Amino acid sequence: MLRRCKAIHTENGPARIRSNGKRHRLSRSAVERWVLLLCVLGFAAMAALTWWRWRAVPAAKALDAPPEEFSAARAFEHVKKLEGMAVIGSKRLLENERYIYGQLEAMLRSVDAAAEWTAVPNGVQVRTPTLDAELGKQRVGGAYELDFSQLGDQLLLNLYSNVTNVVLRLSPRSTGTAATAVNTSGPDTLVVNSHYDTAPGSPGASDALTPIAVMLELVRAVLHTHHGRGRASNPATAWLQAPLIFLFNGAEESFLQGAHGFVSAHPHAPRVAALLNLESAGAGTGPEMLFRSGPRNAWLVRAYARAVPRPHTASYVQDVFEQGWIPAETDFRIFAEKAHVPGLDMALYQRGYTYHTEYDASWRVDPGAMQHMGDNAWAVLRELVGEAHALRHAEAARDQRAVYGDVLGAVMVVVDERTARYIYGLLVVVFGAVRWRQWREAPRHRHREYWGALAALFLTIAAGMLAALLQAVVFTSWVPRPRPPMWWFGRHLTLAPLLYAPPALAAALAVLRWLQRHWPQWMASGGAAFDRFEEASATLHVVQMAVMGIGLRYGTAYVWAVQVALHLLATLSLPRLGSARHPALAALARFTLLSVLSLPVNMPPMLIALETFAPLMGRAGGRAKVEWVMAGLVGYFTLQWWWALWLPLLAAYRRHSRSALRAMLALLLATNAVVCVAVSGGRRVPYSREAPKRMIVQAVHIDAPAAAAGGISDPPATASARRVVALSGMDPYPLESVMDPQALGRCASAVDGWGYQRNRSLWENLTPLAQHMKTQAWVCAAAATEAEAAGAWPLPAPQVRLVEDERLPPLEERDTGNATARRARRRLLLQVHAPRAHWSSLRFDAAVSEWSLTEWPPNGGRRASHFLRHVAGHTAAHLWNVSLVYEMEEDAAMTASLTVDVTSMHFGIVDDVLPPTLQRSRLPDWLSPVYITARFASYQV
């Protein structure tokens, strides 16, 4: 028979009074279970709230929303009309250009029917009583070097011609009053930029036709806001306070040529004071993120923080880009490096598995994500060039960096770097003072327990990291092939933690229990253990904050600073467990303050890291240790934050740490059992339509080496022309494990070479991605019979013509060690013609002392391999020149010649030159191939 009882609290602890009047105390184990349960519930609730806010987007506004508001429904209509592969040089890109220009012209006509229209070269000028508008097409060419060291030692020379940017400039009509007078003494213009070209093989709905659609909707909102509310004819009440340029640039995916053409040649480029760049590296879902700002210019981040209704950003994301850990770039880099223009780089980034694939389609784009990007961008425009006119502060605080972050997407905190470093230093001093006071008051054995807790913290973290990496070794070395398995691909927020967090936590718990059993004199127990391990965790956070924030000046340090500040607050306001009258309540209060309330700050870095790096593994190259990367990420975040935050409680409640160890071991065994069942059950691939495997299929005709037209030497006897099909995956998952054996029937995994010296890769034309292709490459026969091989190739041969050839006087003698040598010089003017190509390239090895492409000699004039890539608009002849002077030894000058290897490529393929087994209809739907028709030729000059 159950007896009813009621709980009371006594001086000796919690107790209950039964119905018969007898009093008994709750057991210590029961109290600990209740504390742990409440801690788990609080932790889970805050984690769920953080997760929800991290993914939350606003509801999309309808087509009939007020014209002064941003409507995702209106913007989405543009995405559906623009989507389709539109690489530079394609006809589809020309259609996008015409659509954007037509929409902008229609918007200008709809605002003021009485506006004055004047035709100008490549555009029109429109004047209203309060606004001057210039709409035009900038057709531009140029050349520049781009260091792409994120993919290795890669230095690209980009040449471009007839690249088209659609540019709309809006400027207020000045009345001479202080309110509307436009600054003419320096930069005063804001540029909003995105690109309307797409990656090869991708319809580009998210990257970047969604940002382009957002820009079109912003133009409509700006025009209606400026002319609405009775301001159409009164410049004194005009909304727009500074010039505003909308730059729809036509070449970003081919390495940022459109932005370079604007900053180097557009007449309004010198007046640009700031940039708002809109991008996408995801599937068009989730909130947009401000992932880069500056460089320096903290005032821009403050303007963003004041304006946007739903901030989603953190300065640790900028650290990742500044360190080059992500092999990607945006037009932001060109404005920052070439024009020294500060800016804000905003992008959609979640679910990036379909980024640059054929599945980047409009049906995947979430209108709520567009609404989030549009609302925030519209708020930034209102702050910078609207009635607030924050752009007038562009010259102030240019040397200050900002440390910033949002909390649950509701508020954003911004401090300049100098203030942040002072805060870090103050926290170090206060923490040191508090610890010194506690150290002096504590008995000697407490000192020993502190050092024991600190050692245990480091040992458990080290053991956990080793266990997570060992799990990766098991998956990449011991499980049945294919290896690496990549089971987490497409499910990184669920499977990756299930695969790598249990071994990390199990190893950490096992080491903790071993230390408590074998080092009892160094390990505190009960409430004292909670205090010692809390102090040890705080010490770790202080060291990381000081090194990262004060030493290395990383914006990431603020995350640890928040944890240190919460520890100091708990120390100064809450009783310690070792001396608390009610230790259970003290444990609950301290855990809530230190571990639960800190989740909105320290949980988003884990989510953003996994959301960014897991899809990136799908294009990391054949040599990438993807399992090691994922194991390291999951292990680090699991141990650095969740383990360190739970460790004081687990150390104090020893008997429950044993249960936790058993649970982690059971979970570890279960996940590995599921993996084994999946392998033995025939689940072959981790891919799906939501997370496809990227593959390059390149049909290549390799011409026999020849002498350049107008050359001075005859070609040597070398191999004849041949045709091959080159295949390569973009990740280390074996290509033979995802392809039908019949598709690889005439293929070999050996990497074939070409070029005058046969030392060029078949992926030469895709530099800087060539290094990624080699280890997963297959070379297949392009034709089954000689008759097929002799058939016409859809792409004409690229030609190199020697236009000028001049022998220059030799240089002065140079010391070469034990002897001297005179350096002869030769000046060449080469003309490259690649008919019907989208892209072309030229590769040669020489010591170039000067050329027509850049002001300074490449590689300091030393002998090196030079790679030049050229792109051109659809209506332009793919014809380009390069003038260069190269050096050689004088005694070899009469016989030496320059050998050049040239490529032309057209995205898309003619089925007649492709084996049937490699055609798209014969491949599984979770493969996303990019088809390329290419032609390679070598010449001796």
Side-chain angles (χ1 to χ4, degrees), residues 232-374:
S233 59
N234 186 2
T237 60
W239 175 83
L240 188 65
Q241 299 295 305
L244 173 62
I245 291 178
F246 288 91
L247 172 60
F248 301 82
N249 90 67
E252 191 265 1
E253 298 292 358
S254 51
F255 300 104
L256 318 179
Q257 291 91 344
H260 182 268
F262 177 83
V263 301
S264 61
H266 198 278
H268 292 302
R271 302 291 300 274
V272 176
L275 167 73
L276 176 60
N277 190 57
L278 304 181
E279 259 291 357
S280 177
T285 61
E288 63 79 21
M289 178 171 62
L290 173 64
F291 66 96
R292 191 159 47 170
S293 65
R296 301 187 179 277
N297 290 273
W299 67 273
L300 265 176
V301 181
R302 290 195 180 94
Y304 175 92
R306 288 193 303 267
V308 298
R310 298 175 182 88
H312 187 68
T313 183
S315 52
Y316 48 75
V317 184
Q318 178 153 320
D319 291 340
V320 173
F321 265 84
E322 289 182 347
Q323 299 306 312
W325 294 339
I326 294 182
E329 279 299 346
T330 71
D331 293 319
F332 179 94
R333 177 177 178 180
I334 295 297
F335 278 85
E337 293 184 0
K338 305 298 183 182
H340 307 291
V341 171
L344 302 172
D345 214 354
M346 299 162 55
L348 302 170
Y349 70 101
Q350 294 188 12
R351 301 300 300 175
Y353 291 103
T354 57
Y355 170 73
H356 285 189
T357 71
E358 65 182 33
Y359 293 112
D360 185 9
S362 60
W363 59 270
R364 290 187 182 276
V365 176
D366 179 10
M370 295 185 69
Q371 190 68 47
H372 188 271
M373 172 178 275

Side-chain angles (χ1 to χ4, degrees), residues 831-906:
Q831 184 179 79
V832 181
H833 186 208
R836 291 165 49 188
H838 287 150
W839 299 1
S840 63
S841 69
L842 185 72
R843 171 80 76 172
F844 62 93
D845 302 330
V848 178
S849 59
E850 60 179 271
W851 62 6
S852 58
L853 305 176
T854 57
E855 182 179 358
W856 304 102
N859 296 287
R862 299 181 297 273
R863 181 177 177 83
S865 181
H866 305 282
F867 180 84
L868 286 64
R869 171 178 285 120
H870 179 265
V871 299
H874 176 70
T875 58
H878 211 94
L879 187 71
W880 50 285
N881 299 331
V882 55
S883 174
L884 60 93
V885 175
Y886 74 97
E887 301 177 2
M888 69 199 92
E889 299 294 335
E890 188 180 33
D891 55 2
M894 298 304 297
T895 59
S897 60
L898 182 69
T899 59
V900 296
D901 300 312
V902 60
T903 74
S904 66
M905 56 191 294
H906 185 97

